[in-house]
Amino acid sequence: MTSSSTSHVFSALAPYGWDEAWADEFAPYEPDGLLPGRVVRVDRGQCDLVTPEGMMRADTAFVTPPDPMRVLCTGDWAVVEPAGNPRYVRTYLPRRTAFVRSTSSKRSEGQILAANVDHSIVAVSLAVELDLGRIERFLALAWESGAQPVVVLTKADLVPDAVTLSHLVQDVETAAPGVPVLTVSALDGEGLDVLVAIVSGGTSVLLGQSGAGKSTLANALIGEDVMAVQAARDADGKGRHTTTTRNLLALPGGGVLIDTPGLRGVGLWDAETGVGQVFAEIEALAAQCRFHDCAHESEPGCAVLAAIDSGELPERRLESYRKLIRENQRIVAKTDARLRAEIRKDWKKRGAEGKAAMEAKRGVWG
């Protein structure tokens, strides 16, 4: 690639997160005349990408393996053909981070929601009662992805009392140690400047339930109404899925935003590290227990139970920790069982092939 073409690639793709490291990853594909492009949207076996030649539509047939963890997703840096009808994505560059949840199927598969994300923004509406357990669940997945979580309490204008708002923030901060907690009102712009400063440095994915105000927040960050907005139900603050696909958008102040559909289910997917970070204080206390395999139930010398008795640790936190640990252990066990079944199936296949080969040889020898 000539210096002028390299400069063109950087000027075209830098607003979408292209850097020297991505250029190095792409270098082996340059001699074949292929183009780099960031995936903006994926739907029905095709995707939209922003490339040095502008926005393109490409077929993903070459990158649709049976493993849903390896399918092309929004945020990927893809290698795409410069021409063709249809045009094809050949592969994608190794991901730096990936936000993954478990599917609702019984096959114990992971579903990748977004790739190459620097910040995971968990949007939580203040229009309804806080669900701290759900926030902890989102944060476990966010930490596991490799991105820095940020909790954004939306619709702050609906809590005009400063003392009440402060208590709500404190509750969330207790459930989110080490995570910035911001209050934002997209209606009057309160708190948006802090969030803009955070998202301007890299790629951010916007997560949350339907009705959390994600699309309104996305419009406020972008500075125009590019995402449709629907009213939430008064009864529970939930709305229909305004966003139906994951969309990647360049922000005017720098940075990239991936908006996602409202997530009704956020099952863990091998998120032991993420759970540990969400409940860092419990794991620190556990290290002080008398027994290294303490279950924190009734064992003597349990530092976790002592912290609950003293009021240092809320009992709700321990119950939430236990719940997520159990869930994660179940999904890992199911996954391991699936892998073992696949291995056994492969062994049987190879054994049958070997047996057939031996019988064929005996037939020849006989």
Side-chain angles (χ1 to χ4, degrees), residues 133 229 271:
V229 177

Side-chain angles (χ1 to χ4, degrees), residues 5 24-25 103 123 126 139 143 145 157 201 214-215 234 270-271 279 287 311 334 353 355 359:
S5 59
D24 290 342
E25 291 283 0
T103 64
L126 289 174
L139 291 176
W143 279 122
S145 75
D157 51 284
K214 298 189 307 303
S215 293
D234 291 336
D270 197 5
F279 299 94
K334 286 181 180 179
E353 290 172 347
K355 183 178 179 180
E359 289 176 350

